[in-house]
Amino acid sequence: MEFRIDTGGLTEAVAWAARVLPARSPVPVLGGLLLEAEGGRLRVSGLDYEASARIEVDADVLRDGRALVLGRRLLDICKVLPDGPVDCTVDGARLSVTGGGARFGLSLLPLDDYPAQPALPARRGEVDAAAFAAAVGHVAVAAGRDDSLPVLTGIRLGLDGATMTLAATDRYRYAVRTLEWKPQVTGEAADPVDVVVPARRLVEIARSHAAAGTVGLALDAGSLGFESPSCRTTTRLIDGRLPRHDKLFALGEHAVAVTGRAPLLEAVKRVAVVAEGDSPVQLTFDGGGVHLQAGYEDDVASQRLPATLSGAESMTVAFQPGYLLDALGSFEAPEIGLRLLGPGQRALITDAGDRGPATHRHLLMSVKPLV
């Protein structure tokens, strides 16, 4: 195998495929990246037992061939290569990488021991790549981190007609985001889909495809795949289902507070500097605005912001500051609505203020207010 490629193109391809490589693996070849040069294209592939990635880029191929090398070592080399053309050649049991006067040699891993790339599942439709990446980011903040409850470390992907629903919860908060997508099959033949995808993997995949324009979505019983013109990725699904959010989000009679998202986010950050441990940030809404307060005894902080309140004369709620900051930071709308039941009860943050249906909702449990 022998090919020439620009440093930038090689680095981008290697970095993209290396996203799925395991940090540690009892199977050494799974730390490898498969390079395949043929017909003016270089294909770089990586996989582990949970995910796979493959990308194709243009290259000047002088001799077709395949080589398997340690992926992270190759990525480290790419990062320090001088700008300009890079020549890559298999010479015996070594891959030589030469560019700008620098030369590196990498030992080849045994190709016979390398598993075949999993096939892409059946295509179900496509979605705007940038909108999908943003939506995944909106809900991922609520995904669990405790691997002893695997299903809570995932993001629910629901497909029903032309509506895609993404949701995540760690039992203390629950984020839901809806967006439009284009199913390949419509009508009665398009059965609803409800699966759970590892959150960390889905975030990486969504970000890596974000600039692709549109990304195709493929699905079977055990895996989810994404495909753009030169890239494809698969990831396994998590067994189980997330608890449904429908009843949790049905608050019944409640008050609605509306305020600017960015000012509220900055104010929470500001007053939270005196909140130690589980000390909450308290929000008191009345007809003239919202008063934020944190801290106890001598170490206190407060700030007042403009806000409106309907459904009650006043309302005081308090939140764990980290959860509240995560929730507010996941929104993009300039104005948010807080649908409030009262102290120590559920509170629903939405991107719709007090008007119309929301596409982004984040449920938090309020805690005991400050004394």
Side-chain angles (χ1 to χ4, degrees):
M1 181 180 74
E2 184 176 357
F3 63 89
R4 172 173 288 186
I5 187 172
D6 183 80
T7 300
L10 179 62
T11 303
E12 182 180 352
V14 170
W16 196 90
R19 294 172 186 267
V20 301
L21 296 182
R24 296 180 182 84
S25 174
V27 184
V29 293
L30 292 184
L33 287 179
L34 179 63
L35 310 180
E36 300 173 281
E38 183 181 10
R41 301 283 283 176
L42 171 67
R43 182 185 302 122
V44 184
S45 306
L47 60 83
D48 67 7
Y49 290 122
E50 295 185 353
S52 72
R54 190 180 76 188
I55 182 170
E56 290 189 8
V57 293
D58 292 329
D60 183 9
V61 179
L62 305 178
R63 189 170 75 249
D64 295 353
R66 306 166 75 229
L68 183 67
V69 297
L70 283 173
R72 299 194 188 280
R73 179 64 56 80
L74 178 59
L75 180 57
D76 288 341
I77 290 172
C78 290
K79 289 178 178 178
V80 298
L81 280 171
D83 293 337
V86 180
D87 293 308
C88 298
T89 306
V90 171
D91 183 11
R94 175 180 295 174
L95 174 70
S96 295
V97 181
T98 307
R103 188 170 187 269
F104 299 87
L106 275 175
S107 299
L108 300 182
L109 299 174
L111 278 168
D112 292 342
D113 297 339
Y114 194 65
Q117 282 269 318
L120 196 69
R123 188 180 176 99
R124 297 294 297 260
E126 63 183 28
V127 64
D128 180 272
F132 179 72
V136 170
H138 293 163
V139 302
V141 296
R145 310 292 193 269
D146 185 356
D147 290 334
S148 65
L149 296 169
V151 72
L152 295 184
T153 66
I155 291 175
R156 175 190 171 229
L157 173 67
L159 305 175
D160 191 356
T163 300
M164 175 184 292
T165 301
L166 299 166
T169 181
D170 60 2
R171 295 184 298 180
Y172 305 104
R173 55 230 175 126
Y174 205 134
V176 177
R177 179 75 161 81
T178 58
L179 68 159
E180 294 182 353
W181 80 302
K182 297 179 180 179
Q184 189 164 304
V185 179
T186 58
E188 294 182 359
D191 293 331
V193 168
D194 191 346
V195 297
V196 181
V197 191
R200 181 177 63 85
R201 292 289 189 189
L202 191 58
V203 169
E204 291 177 350
I205 290 170
R207 287 175 179 171
S208 68
H209 287 280
T214 60
V215 61
L217 188 150
L219 184 69
D220 62 20
S223 64
L224 177 68
F226 295 90
E227 186 176 31
S228 52
S230 60
C231 308
R232 48 163 283 189
T233 319
T234 65
T235 183
R236 69 168 181 83
L237 301 177
I238 298 177
D239 292 334
R241 293 286 183 269
L242 290 183
R244 301 291 296 189
H245 64 272
D246 310 71
K247 292 183 178 180
L248 288 172
F249 284 26
L251 300 184
E253 186 175 349
H254 60 275
V256 178
V258 179
T259 188
R261 184 195 66 86
L264 181 59
L265 176 62
E266 291 304 312
V268 173
K269 288 180 181 178
R270 192 169 294 120
V271 302
V273 298
V274 299
E276 297 183 1
D278 294 329
S279 175
V281 170
Q282 178 173 292
L283 288 73
T284 300
F285 294 92
D286 54 37
V290 55
H291 181 79
L292 287 83
Q293 182 180 349
Y296 291 104
E297 298 179 349
D298 294 332
D299 297 332
V300 295
S302 65
Q303 184 171 349
R304 188 168 179 84
L305 297 173
T308 63
L309 180 69
S310 59
E313 291 186 3
S314 65
M315 179 70 72
T316 297
V317 289
F319 300 99
Q320 199 274 348
Y323 286 168
L324 183 56
L325 288 171
D326 282 347
L328 296 174
S330 70
F331 282 81
E332 296 177 357
E335 189 177 74
I336 58 168
L338 293 92
R339 304 180 184 184
L340 308 170
L341 290 173
Q345 300 189 62
R346 304 189 308 279
L348 186 64
I349 305 173
T350 79
D351 61 354
D354 58 354
R355 302 176 299 277
T359 61
H360 183 188
R361 295 169 290 171
H362 195 115
L363 188 77
L364 286 176
M365 285 299 299
S366 61
V367 297
K368 184 180 180 181
L370 299 169
V371 178

PDB file of all heavy atoms in Angstrom, residues 122-157:
ATOM      1  N   ALA A 122     -30.751  -1.059   8.445  1.00  0.00           N
ATOM      2  CA  ALA A 122     -31.661  -0.558   7.416  1.00  0.00           C
ATOM      3  C   ALA A 122     -31.937   0.923   7.646  1.00  0.00           C
ATOM      4  O   ALA A 122     -32.215   1.359   8.771  1.00  0.00           O
ATOM      5  CB  ALA A 122     -32.967  -1.343   7.450  1.00  0.00           C
ATOM      6  N   ARG A 123     -31.866   1.702   6.588  1.00  0.00           N
ATOM      7  CA  ARG A 123     -32.066   3.144   6.674  1.00  0.00           C
ATOM      8  C   ARG A 123     -33.531   3.457   6.968  1.00  0.00           C
ATOM      9  O   ARG A 123     -34.439   2.899   6.344  1.00  0.00           O
ATOM     10  CB  ARG A 123     -31.636   3.808   5.366  1.00  0.00           C
ATOM     11  CG  ARG A 123     -31.614   5.340   5.399  1.00  0.00           C
ATOM     12  CD  ARG A 123     -31.165   5.856   4.046  1.00  0.00           C
ATOM     13  NE  ARG A 123     -31.193   7.302   3.962  1.00  0.00           N
ATOM     14  CZ  ARG A 123     -30.136   8.090   4.107  1.00  0.00           C
ATOM     15  NH1 ARG A 123     -28.950   7.545   4.350  1.00  0.00           N
ATOM     16  NH2 ARG A 123     -30.249   9.397   3.992  1.00  0.00           N
ATOM     17  N   ARG A 124     -33.760   4.376   7.929  1.00  0.00           N
ATOM     18  CA  ARG A 124     -35.122   4.745   8.307  1.00  0.00           C
ATOM     19  C   ARG A 124     -35.517   6.147   7.854  1.00  0.00           C
ATOM     20  O   ARG A 124     -36.701   6.479   7.820  1.00  0.00           O
ATOM     21  CB  ARG A 124     -35.280   4.650   9.824  1.00  0.00           C
ATOM     22  CG  ARG A 124     -35.096   3.262  10.406  1.00  0.00           C
ATOM     23  CD  ARG A 124     -36.181   2.316   9.945  1.00  0.00           C
ATOM     24  NE  ARG A 124     -37.489   2.741  10.412  1.00  0.00           N
ATOM     25  CZ  ARG A 124     -38.107   2.222  11.472  1.00  0.00           C
ATOM     26  NH1 ARG A 124     -37.533   1.261  12.165  1.00  0.00           N
ATOM     27  NH2 ARG A 124     -39.300   2.645  11.836  1.00  0.00           N
ATOM     28  N   GLY A 125     -34.551   7.002   7.557  1.00  0.00           N
ATOM     29  CA  GLY A 125     -34.857   8.364   7.149  1.00  0.00           C
ATOM     30  C   GLY A 125     -33.654   9.257   7.367  1.00  0.00           C
ATOM     31  O   GLY A 125     -32.525   8.779   7.520  1.00  0.00           O
ATOM     32  N   GLU A 126     -33.876  10.567   7.386  1.00  0.00           N
ATOM     33  CA  GLU A 126     -32.762  11.498   7.569  1.00  0.00           C
ATOM     34  C   GLU A 126     -33.223  12.694   8.397  1.00  0.00           C
ATOM     35  O   GLU A 126     -34.408  12.998   8.503  1.00  0.00           O
ATOM     36  CB  GLU A 126     -32.206  11.955   6.223  1.00  0.00           C
ATOM     37  CG  GLU A 126     -33.173  12.725   5.360  1.00  0.00           C
ATOM     38  CD  GLU A 126     -32.570  13.088   4.010  1.00  0.00           C
ATOM     39  OE1 GLU A 126     -31.691  12.353   3.522  1.00  0.00           O
ATOM     40  OE2 GLU A 126     -32.995  14.118   3.463  1.00  0.00           O
ATOM     41  N   VAL A 127     -32.232  13.390   8.987  1.00  0.00           N
ATOM     42  CA  VAL A 127     -32.514  14.521   9.855  1.00  0.00           C
ATOM     43  C   VAL A 127     -31.445  15.582   9.615  1.00  0.00           C
ATOM     44  O   VAL A 127     -30.317  15.264   9.215  1.00  0.00           O
ATOM     45  CB  VAL A 127     -32.525  14.071  11.339  1.00  0.00           C
ATOM     46  CG1 VAL A 127     -31.154  13.577  11.782  1.00  0.00           C
ATOM     47  CG2 VAL A 127     -33.010  15.182  12.260  1.00  0.00           C
ATOM     48  N   ASP A 128     -31.816  16.839   9.824  1.00  0.00           N
ATOM     49  CA  ASP A 128     -30.843  17.919   9.721  1.00  0.00           C
ATOM     50  C   ASP A 128     -29.742  17.693  10.758  1.00  0.00           C
ATOM     51  O   ASP A 128     -30.011  17.579  11.959  1.00  0.00           O
ATOM     52  CB  ASP A 128     -31.531  19.262   9.969  1.00  0.00           C
ATOM     53  CG  ASP A 128     -30.569  20.426   9.875  1.00  0.00           C
ATOM     54  OD1 ASP A 128     -29.952  20.761  10.903  1.00  0.00           O
ATOM     55  OD2 ASP A 128     -30.424  20.991   8.771  1.00  0.00           O
ATOM     56  N   ALA A 129     -28.502  17.613  10.284  1.00  0.00           N
ATOM     57  CA  ALA A 129     -27.403  17.203  11.160  1.00  0.00           C
ATOM     58  C   ALA A 129     -27.133  18.213  12.268  1.00  0.00           C
ATOM     59  O   ALA A 129     -26.899  17.836  13.421  1.00  0.00           O
ATOM     60  CB  ALA A 129     -26.137  16.981  10.330  1.00  0.00           C
ATOM     61  N   ALA A 130     -27.156  19.505  11.947  1.00  0.00           N
ATOM     62  CA  ALA A 130     -26.877  20.524  12.968  1.00  0.00           C
ATOM     63  C   ALA A 130     -27.989  20.570  14.012  1.00  0.00           C
ATOM     64  O   ALA A 130     -27.721  20.685  15.208  1.00  0.00           O
ATOM     65  CB  ALA A 130     -26.704  21.887  12.304  1.00  0.00           C
ATOM     66  N   ALA A 131     -29.239  20.488  13.560  1.00  0.00           N
ATOM     67  CA  ALA A 131     -30.360  20.507  14.500  1.00  0.00           C
ATOM     68  C   ALA A 131     -30.333  19.280  15.402  1.00  0.00           C
ATOM     69  O   ALA A 131     -30.626  19.372  16.607  1.00  0.00           O
ATOM     70  CB  ALA A 131     -31.681  20.575  13.739  1.00  0.00           C
ATOM     71  N   PHE A 132     -29.977  18.137  14.837  1.00  0.00           N
ATOM     72  CA  PHE A 132     -29.896  16.915  15.631  1.00  0.00           C
ATOM     73  C   PHE A 132     -28.789  17.018  16.679  1.00  0.00           C
ATOM     74  O   PHE A 132     -28.991  16.659  17.850  1.00  0.00           O
ATOM     75  CB  PHE A 132     -29.652  15.717  14.711  1.00  0.00           C
ATOM     76  CG  PHE A 132     -29.517  14.403  15.432  1.00  0.00           C
ATOM     77  CD1 PHE A 132     -30.618  13.794  15.997  1.00  0.00           C
ATOM     78  CD2 PHE A 132     -28.282  13.781  15.537  1.00  0.00           C
ATOM     79  CE1 PHE A 132     -30.498  12.582  16.673  1.00  0.00           C
ATOM     80  CE2 PHE A 132     -28.147  12.577  16.194  1.00  0.00           C
ATOM     81  CZ  PHE A 132     -29.261  11.982  16.766  1.00  0.00           C
ATOM     82  N   ALA A 133     -27.626  17.524  16.287  1.00  0.00           N
ATOM     83  CA  ALA A 133     -26.524  17.664  17.236  1.00  0.00           C
ATOM     84  C   ALA A 133     -26.901  18.600  18.380  1.00  0.00           C
ATOM     85  O   ALA A 133     -26.591  18.336  19.548  1.00  0.00           O
ATOM     86  CB  ALA A 133     -25.274  18.178  16.519  1.00  0.00           C
ATOM     87  N   ALA A 134     -27.593  19.699  18.055  1.00  0.00           N
ATOM     88  CA  ALA A 134     -28.017  20.630  19.100  1.00  0.00           C
ATOM     89  C   ALA A 134     -29.016  19.965  20.037  1.00  0.00           C
ATOM     90  O   ALA A 134     -28.925  20.104  21.265  1.00  0.00           O
ATOM     91  CB  ALA A 134     -28.630  21.877  18.466  1.00  0.00           C
ATOM     92  N   ALA A 135     -29.976  19.224  19.488  1.00  0.00           N
ATOM     93  CA  ALA A 135     -30.998  18.577  20.313  1.00  0.00           C
ATOM     94  C   ALA A 135     -30.388  17.530  21.237  1.00  0.00           C
ATOM     95  O   ALA A 135     -30.785  17.412  22.404  1.00  0.00           O
ATOM     96  CB  ALA A 135     -32.059  17.947  19.420  1.00  0.00           C
ATOM     97  N   VAL A 136     -29.434  16.749  20.735  1.00  0.00           N
ATOM     98  CA  VAL A 136     -28.760  15.761  21.583  1.00  0.00           C
ATOM     99  C   VAL A 136     -28.053  16.464  22.744  1.00  0.00           C
ATOM    100  O   VAL A 136     -28.123  16.024  23.897  1.00  0.00           O
ATOM    101  CB  VAL A 136     -27.762  14.934  20.758  1.00  0.00           C
ATOM    102  CG1 VAL A 136     -26.888  14.068  21.671  1.00  0.00           C
ATOM    103  CG2 VAL A 136     -28.502  14.034  19.767  1.00  0.00           C
ATOM    104  N   GLY A 137     -27.388  17.576  22.444  1.00  0.00           N
ATOM    105  CA  GLY A 137     -26.728  18.326  23.505  1.00  0.00           C
ATOM    106  C   GLY A 137     -27.694  18.871  24.540  1.00  0.00           C
ATOM    107  O   GLY A 137     -27.375  18.937  25.729  1.00  0.00           O
ATOM    108  N   HIS A 138     -28.894  19.249  24.100  1.00  0.00           N
ATOM    109  CA  HIS A 138     -29.891  19.790  25.029  1.00  0.00           C
ATOM    110  C   HIS A 138     -30.304  18.772  26.091  1.00  0.00           C
ATOM    111  O   HIS A 138     -30.547  19.141  27.242  1.00  0.00           O
ATOM    112  CB  HIS A 138     -31.137  20.228  24.256  1.00  0.00           C
ATOM    113  CG  HIS A 138     -30.898  21.402  23.360  1.00  0.00           C
ATOM    114  ND1 HIS A 138     -31.747  21.746  22.337  1.00  0.00           N
ATOM    115  CD2 HIS A 138     -29.893  22.315  23.326  1.00  0.00           C
ATOM    116  CE1 HIS A 138     -31.285  22.818  21.714  1.00  0.00           C
ATOM    117  NE2 HIS A 138     -30.164  23.175  22.296  1.00  0.00           N
ATOM    118  N   VAL A 139     -30.435  17.506  25.707  1.00  0.00           N
ATOM    119  CA  VAL A 139     -30.936  16.512  26.663  1.00  0.00           C
ATOM    120  C   VAL A 139     -29.824  15.748  27.368  1.00  0.00           C
ATOM    121  O   VAL A 139     -30.046  15.175  28.437  1.00  0.00           O
ATOM    122  CB  VAL A 139     -31.892  15.512  25.974  1.00  0.00           C
ATOM    123  CG1 VAL A 139     -33.060  16.241  25.334  1.00  0.00           C
ATOM    124  CG2 VAL A 139     -31.183  14.636  24.960  1.00  0.00           C
ATOM    125  N   ALA A 140     -28.620  15.725  26.782  1.00  0.00           N
ATOM    126  CA  ALA A 140     -27.548  14.892  27.341  1.00  0.00           C
ATOM    127  C   ALA A 140     -27.164  15.301  28.752  1.00  0.00           C
ATOM    128  O   ALA A 140     -26.681  14.472  29.531  1.00  0.00           O
ATOM    129  CB  ALA A 140     -26.321  14.940  26.428  1.00  0.00           C
ATOM    130  N   VAL A 141     -27.391  16.572  29.127  1.00  0.00           N
ATOM    131  CA  VAL A 141     -27.016  17.027  30.471  1.00  0.00           C
ATOM    132  C   VAL A 141     -27.784  16.288  31.553  1.00  0.00           C
ATOM    133  O   VAL A 141     -27.336  16.222  32.701  1.00  0.00           O
ATOM    134  CB  VAL A 141     -27.239  18.546  30.625  1.00  0.00           C
ATOM    135  CG1 VAL A 141     -26.337  19.323  29.700  1.00  0.00           C
ATOM    136  CG2 VAL A 141     -28.701  18.918  30.395  1.00  0.00           C
ATOM    137  N   ALA A 142     -28.954  15.721  31.207  1.00  0.00           N
ATOM    138  CA  ALA A 142     -29.774  15.030  32.206  1.00  0.00           C
ATOM    139  C   ALA A 142     -29.509  13.535  32.256  1.00  0.00           C
ATOM    140  O   ALA A 142     -30.100  12.833  33.086  1.00  0.00           O
ATOM    141  CB  ALA A 142     -31.257  15.272  31.921  1.00  0.00           C
ATOM    142  N   ALA A 143     -28.640  13.009  31.394  1.00  0.00           N
ATOM    143  CA  ALA A 143     -28.357  11.575  31.390  1.00  0.00           C
ATOM    144  C   ALA A 143     -27.557  11.188  32.627  1.00  0.00           C
ATOM    145  O   ALA A 143     -26.718  11.951  33.115  1.00  0.00           O
ATOM    146  CB  ALA A 143     -27.599  11.183  30.127  1.00  0.00           C
ATOM    147  N   GLY A 144     -27.800   9.986  33.129  1.00  0.00           N
ATOM    148  CA  GLY A 144     -27.106   9.508  34.317  1.00  0.00           C
ATOM    149  C   GLY A 144     -25.649   9.188  34.044  1.00  0.00           C
ATOM    150  O   GLY A 144     -25.241   8.945  32.905  1.00  0.00           O
ATOM    151  N   ARG A 145     -24.866   9.164  35.111  1.00  0.00           N
ATOM    152  CA  ARG A 145     -23.433   8.824  35.017  1.00  0.00           C
ATOM    153  C   ARG A 145     -23.113   7.513  35.727  1.00  0.00           C
ATOM    154  O   ARG A 145     -21.981   7.051  35.686  1.00  0.00           O
ATOM    155  CB  ARG A 145     -22.580   9.932  35.630  1.00  0.00           C
ATOM    156  CG  ARG A 145     -22.882  11.347  35.147  1.00  0.00           C
ATOM    157  CD  ARG A 145     -22.511  11.573  33.694  1.00  0.00           C
ATOM    158  NE  ARG A 145     -22.528  12.993  33.373  1.00  0.00           N
ATOM    159  CZ  ARG A 145     -23.585  13.644  32.911  1.00  0.00           C
ATOM    160  NH1 ARG A 145     -24.752  13.001  32.786  1.00  0.00           N
ATOM    161  NH2 ARG A 145     -23.515  14.934  32.617  1.00  0.00           N
ATOM    162  N   ASP A 146     -24.107   6.913  36.373  1.00  0.00           N
ATOM    163  CA  ASP A 146     -23.901   5.712  37.177  1.00  0.00           C
ATOM    164  C   ASP A 146     -24.073   4.473  36.302  1.00  0.00           C
ATOM    165  O   ASP A 146     -25.185   4.135  35.906  1.00  0.00           O
ATOM    166  CB  ASP A 146     -24.906   5.700  38.336  1.00  0.00           C
ATOM    167  CG  ASP A 146     -24.673   4.535  39.294  1.00  0.00           C
ATOM    168  OD1 ASP A 146     -23.780   3.705  39.018  1.00  0.00           O
ATOM    169  OD2 ASP A 146     -25.396   4.447  40.304  1.00  0.00           O
ATOM    170  N   ASP A 147     -22.965   3.778  36.017  1.00  0.00           N
ATOM    171  CA  ASP A 147     -23.014   2.611  35.141  1.00  0.00           C
ATOM    172  C   ASP A 147     -23.739   1.426  35.767  1.00  0.00           C
ATOM    173  O   ASP A 147     -24.017   0.440  35.073  1.00  0.00           O
ATOM    174  CB  ASP A 147     -21.594   2.182  34.746  1.00  0.00           C
ATOM    175  CG  ASP A 147     -20.936   3.170  33.803  1.00  0.00           C
ATOM    176  OD1 ASP A 147     -21.689   3.871  33.082  1.00  0.00           O
ATOM    177  OD2 ASP A 147     -19.697   3.268  33.792  1.00  0.00           O
ATOM    178  N   SER A 148     -24.043   1.489  37.079  1.00  0.00           N
ATOM    179  CA  SER A 148     -24.784   0.388  37.687  1.00  0.00           C
ATOM    180  C   SER A 148     -26.246   0.380  37.231  1.00  0.00           C
ATOM    181  O   SER A 148     -26.949  -0.606  37.414  1.00  0.00           O
ATOM    182  CB  SER A 148     -24.715   0.487  39.217  1.00  0.00           C
ATOM    183  OG  SER A 148     -25.377   1.652  39.680  1.00  0.00           O
ATOM    184  N   LEU A 149     -26.693   1.485  36.641  1.00  0.00           N
ATOM    185  CA  LEU A 149     -28.037   1.579  36.050  1.00  0.00           C
ATOM    186  C   LEU A 149     -27.874   1.976  34.586  1.00  0.00           C
ATOM    187  O   LEU A 149     -28.091   3.136  34.221  1.00  0.00           O
ATOM    188  CB  LEU A 149     -28.887   2.609  36.806  1.00  0.00           C
ATOM    189  CG  LEU A 149     -29.198   2.288  38.267  1.00  0.00           C
ATOM    190  CD1 LEU A 149     -29.800   3.508  38.954  1.00  0.00           C
ATOM    191  CD2 LEU A 149     -30.139   1.096  38.355  1.00  0.00           C
ATOM    192  N   PRO A 150     -27.475   1.032  33.724  1.00  0.00           N
ATOM    193  CA  PRO A 150     -27.093   1.370  32.346  1.00  0.00           C
ATOM    194  C   PRO A 150     -28.154   2.138  31.575  1.00  0.00           C
ATOM    195  O   PRO A 150     -27.825   3.058  30.821  1.00  0.00           O
ATOM    196  CB  PRO A 150     -26.826  -0.007  31.711  1.00  0.00           C
ATOM    197  CG  PRO A 150     -26.478  -0.899  32.858  1.00  0.00           C
ATOM    198  CD  PRO A 150     -27.316  -0.406  34.001  1.00  0.00           C
ATOM    199  N   VAL A 151     -29.437   1.782  31.752  1.00  0.00           N
ATOM    200  CA  VAL A 151     -30.466   2.430  30.935  1.00  0.00           C
ATOM    201  C   VAL A 151     -30.534   3.928  31.216  1.00  0.00           C
ATOM    202  O   VAL A 151     -30.848   4.718  30.314  1.00  0.00           O
ATOM    203  CB  VAL A 151     -31.837   1.758  31.147  1.00  0.00           C
ATOM    204  CG1 VAL A 151     -32.411   2.081  32.515  1.00  0.00           C
ATOM    205  CG2 VAL A 151     -32.812   2.148  30.039  1.00  0.00           C
ATOM    206  N   LEU A 152     -30.205   4.344  32.441  1.00  0.00           N
ATOM    207  CA  LEU A 152     -30.256   5.767  32.768  1.00  0.00           C
ATOM    208  C   LEU A 152     -29.057   6.536  32.234  1.00  0.00           C
ATOM    209  O   LEU A 152     -29.038   7.769  32.297  1.00  0.00           O
ATOM    210  CB  LEU A 152     -30.370   5.968  34.285  1.00  0.00           C
ATOM    211  CG  LEU A 152     -31.652   5.450  34.944  1.00  0.00           C
ATOM    212  CD1 LEU A 152     -31.661   5.812  36.421  1.00  0.00           C
ATOM    213  CD2 LEU A 152     -32.896   5.999  34.254  1.00  0.00           C
ATOM    214  N   THR A 153     -28.044   5.837  31.718  1.00  0.00           N
ATOM    215  CA  THR A 153     -26.910   6.520  31.083  1.00  0.00           C
ATOM    216  C   THR A 153     -27.171   6.739  29.598  1.00  0.00           C
ATOM    217  O   THR A 153     -26.279   7.199  28.885  1.00  0.00           O
ATOM    218  CB  THR A 153     -25.609   5.709  31.248  1.00  0.00           C
ATOM    219  OG1 THR A 153     -25.711   4.477  30.514  1.00  0.00           O
ATOM    220  CG2 THR A 153     -25.334   5.406  32.710  1.00  0.00           C
ATOM    221  N   GLY A 154     -28.374   6.434  29.154  1.00  0.00           N
ATOM    222  CA  GLY A 154     -28.699   6.548  27.738  1.00  0.00           C
ATOM    223  C   GLY A 154     -29.630   7.696  27.433  1.00  0.00           C
ATOM    224  O   GLY A 154     -30.162   8.375  28.322  1.00  0.00           O
ATOM    225  N   ILE A 155     -29.812   7.914  26.145  1.00  0.00           N
ATOM    226  CA  ILE A 155     -30.767   8.896  25.628  1.00  0.00           C
ATOM    227  C   ILE A 155     -31.838   8.136  24.862  1.00  0.00           C
ATOM    228  O   ILE A 155     -31.524   7.311  23.996  1.00  0.00           O
ATOM    229  CB  ILE A 155     -30.081   9.920  24.712  1.00  0.00           C
ATOM    230  CG1 ILE A 155     -29.158  10.830  25.521  1.00  0.00           C
ATOM    231  CG2 ILE A 155     -31.113  10.767  23.953  1.00  0.00           C
ATOM    232  CD1 ILE A 155     -28.350  11.801  24.684  1.00  0.00           C
ATOM    233  N   ARG A 156     -33.078   8.410  25.206  1.00  0.00           N
ATOM    234  CA  ARG A 156     -34.186   7.795  24.476  1.00  0.00           C
ATOM    235  C   ARG A 156     -34.325   8.455  23.114  1.00  0.00           C
ATOM    236  O   ARG A 156     -34.340   9.685  22.999  1.00  0.00           O
ATOM    237  CB  ARG A 156     -35.487   7.954  25.257  1.00  0.00           C
ATOM    238  CG  ARG A 156     -36.703   7.424  24.480  1.00  0.00           C
ATOM    239  CD  ARG A 156     -38.007   7.783  25.136  1.00  0.00           C
ATOM    240  NE  ARG A 156     -39.121   7.440  24.257  1.00  0.00           N
ATOM    241  CZ  ARG A 156     -40.126   8.253  23.958  1.00  0.00           C
ATOM    242  NH1 ARG A 156     -40.162   9.469  24.469  1.00  0.00           N
ATOM    243  NH2 ARG A 156     -41.086   7.868  23.145  1.00  0.00           N
ATOM    244  N   LEU A 157     -34.424   7.637  22.077  1.00  0.00           N
ATOM    245  CA  LEU A 157     -34.700   8.105  20.724  1.00  0.00           C
ATOM    246  C   LEU A 157     -36.049   7.553  20.315  1.00  0.00           C
ATOM    247  O   LEU A 157     -36.216   6.340  20.168  1.00  0.00           O
ATOM    248  CB  LEU A 157     -33.614   7.642  19.752  1.00  0.00           C
ATOM    249  CG  LEU A 157     -33.859   7.923  18.269  1.00  0.00           C
ATOM    250  CD1 LEU A 157     -33.817   9.418  18.002  1.00  0.00           C
ATOM    251  CD2 LEU A 157     -32.840   7.209  17.398  1.00  0.00           C
TER     252      LEU A 157
END
